[in-house]
Amino acid sequence: MRHGVFVKLLAAFLLVIVIAMVTVDIVIQRTWEDSLRREIERGLVGKAQLFAHTVETNKTLPLQQLVNDAAAAAEARATVIDSSGRVLADSSADSATMENHATRPEFISALAGRTGSSTRLSRTVGIPFLYVAVPTRGGAVRFAYSLSSIQHDLSSVRRSLLLASTVALVFASLLAALLARRVSQRLSRLAAFAQKITSGDLNARIADLSTDELAAVTAALDQTARKLQLTFDSLQNSRDEMETLLNSIQEAVIAVSSDGKVLWANDLMRTLAPAAAKTGSPVIESVRDPSFLAALNGALHRNEVCRTRISSLALGRVFELTAAPMATAGAVMVLRDVTESERVEKTRRDFIANVSHELRTPLTSIQGYAETLIESVPANADPTHRDFLEIILKNATRMTRLTSDLLVLARVESGEERYNFVPVRADELLAEAVHSSRHQAEMAGMELGCDNTTSVLVLADRDAIHRVFANLIANAIKYGLGGKRVVVGAREAAQQVEFFVRDFGPGISSQHHSRLFERFYRVDKARSRDAGGTGLGLAIVKHIVQAHAGQVRVESELGHGATFFFSLPLANCQPAPSGDVESLPAAGRVSID
């Protein structure tokens, strides 16, 4: 590269020098030749005018002698012609044998009364001449000056110019070589500096004491390298801080490129899965968990935040996985170990299920004995005896419902509850719900009807959805007595059908909406207990709907009733839900039943 630049610069300099010298030589030669010819022409014109005057005034000497004397004095060939162009006398040839000269350019001008001149080969003697003619009375005279002497002088000038140009070319070439070598060396230093920067040596520096444009480029590159070094140091510090932070957290973190290769993993991830956390290796070769790969695919190709649970990454351990797309490309995956919380949650569910199961028998006995005692109370007995027995029966009945709901909720949360998903018409589900709850509404003095419906097919378990409707309609009857009416319905949405149960009671304040589906949560605790609710109905609704791959929500304002919505997927565009229900922490479950 260095020799290439040097050769190219030197060749360019030499080409410019040679072109300049050739141009100067040509211009000087032509200028000198033109100047010499003009000078000779001016002298000949003066001599020709004097010759013409002599021919007109000297009548004593023969014309041929006058011609010869004029030719000798002017050192040129002299010629005299009459007005017809016939040669009267010539200093170098016999006039009798010469052709008519009326067509000669210089004589044409002279015969017209003007001084004429031209340059050409003489037909008579065969050498180049400069011809100058002036008019006389009755004709014209002409001097012809041989240009052979000019050619000799011109050759001498050419030789002198060639010698001077050769000497100048040698010195100019030496100077061009020095300049080209200097520029080449500076460019080579720039190339070496750029190569160091490219290879990662941001500490490289270059100095140039010159003040030309190339020095300005050098200074700009050096300043760029300094800024790159500062930026790189800042990025490295940020990376180290981020790496320390990620290594200190209790979750495993792994970053994956857009082509599925590992970019980075923290220490916990490398401990859990050394093969999967190897930088540069494809994740799919080390992790074969379908949920893990599905979440990664969703983050990489659909640009979605995906959450799931995996249990095959480490034996006996369960992880909550969150896969999120990165701003540039690729995805970052965070795995939180929930093994212990799963164990605690399972223990809690088992405890609740066992306690509820054990309480059912004594509660049933209490309820039965209480009913028997109420029936056996004499008519004339103290009324307080019957009141006490009714209170016992009421609370035993409530406790029985509570244990039953706890058992149902435990089965739903743990995944023990299995569903038979089949295509069902939405209007059939609504008709069954209205039919089964109509008597309960009539007993409460309320009207139960269907407002909106659709006949599309949804994927659902009939019995489970019947439980959902039963809970929602029972709540609407209990807490919407002021409205005297409950309405159910369904409407098609994107890839799903949204069902609703609406009452026209006092409504629910917005501050309670976010917690309505929590376990044991009540908007009005005293009223809920009086109505006989267990506080678990809406929690059961939520988990059943989630098991159907649906969502549940509420819309309500004080004084305008409440509407509970839940969605079910369409049968022709959704795969059957798995029926597995993700368990949630005990705190924060919702219900106002």
Side-chain angles (χ1 to χ4, degrees), residues 510-581:
S510 59
Q511 65 184 5
H512 300 289
H513 290 184
S514 62
R515 302 190 61 191
L516 277 179
F517 296 92
E518 292 180 6
R519 180 184 310 186
F520 298 119
Y521 184 79
R522 296 179 176 89
V523 175
D524 187 341
K525 294 182 180 180
R527 183 180 176 188
S528 179
R529 289 194 183 95
D530 292 339
T534 63
L536 298 175
L538 290 182
I540 294 173
V541 167
K542 174 183 177 181
H543 288 290
I544 291 176
V545 173
Q546 287 179 344
H548 283 70
Q551 298 292 328
V552 63
R553 62 188 179 90
V554 63
E555 292 181 1
S556 179
E557 292 182 12
L558 286 176
H560 294 83
T563 305
F564 286 83
F565 297 88
F566 69 92
S567 60
L568 295 178
L570 294 176
N572 59 351
C573 61
Q574 289 287 345
S578 64
D580 295 332
V581 181

Side-chain angles (χ1 to χ4, degrees), residues 5 24 50 65 95 98 141 170 186 198 202 223 232 288 354 366 374 380 404 414 445 461 469 479 484 512 527 579:
V5 172
V24 170
L50 181 61
Q65 184 177 352
S95 60
M98 295 177 66
V141 299
V170 171
R186 295 172 69 187
T198 303
L202 297 180
Q223 185 64 24
F232 180 79
R288 300 301 178 91
N354 291 334
I366 294 172
I374 289 174
N380 57 355
S404 178
S414 64
D461 181 292
F469 271 118
Y479 304 109
K484 300 297 182 182
H512 300 289
R527 183 180 176 188

Side-chain angles (χ1 to χ4, degrees), residues 76-148:
R77 178 185 176 184
T79 304
V80 179
I81 65 171
D82 61 12
S83 59
S84 65
R86 183 172 62 85
V87 178
L88 300 177
D90 188 90
S91 63
S92 298
D94 184 5
S95 60
T97 61
M98 295 177 66
E99 63 182 11
N100 190 287
H101 280 41
T103 58
R104 300 292 194 273
E106 65 277 6
F107 278 126
I108 292 175
S109 297
L111 293 176
R114 302 186 303 274
T115 300
S117 66
S118 68
T119 302
R120 65 181 182 275
L121 287 174
S122 173
R123 297 179 182 177
T124 305
V125 296
I127 59 176
F129 277 87
L130 172 63
Y131 296 96
V132 174
V134 295
T136 62
R137 285 192 298 272
V141 299
R142 183 187 71 181
F143 278 132
Y145 185 81
S146 174
L147 295 178
S148 59

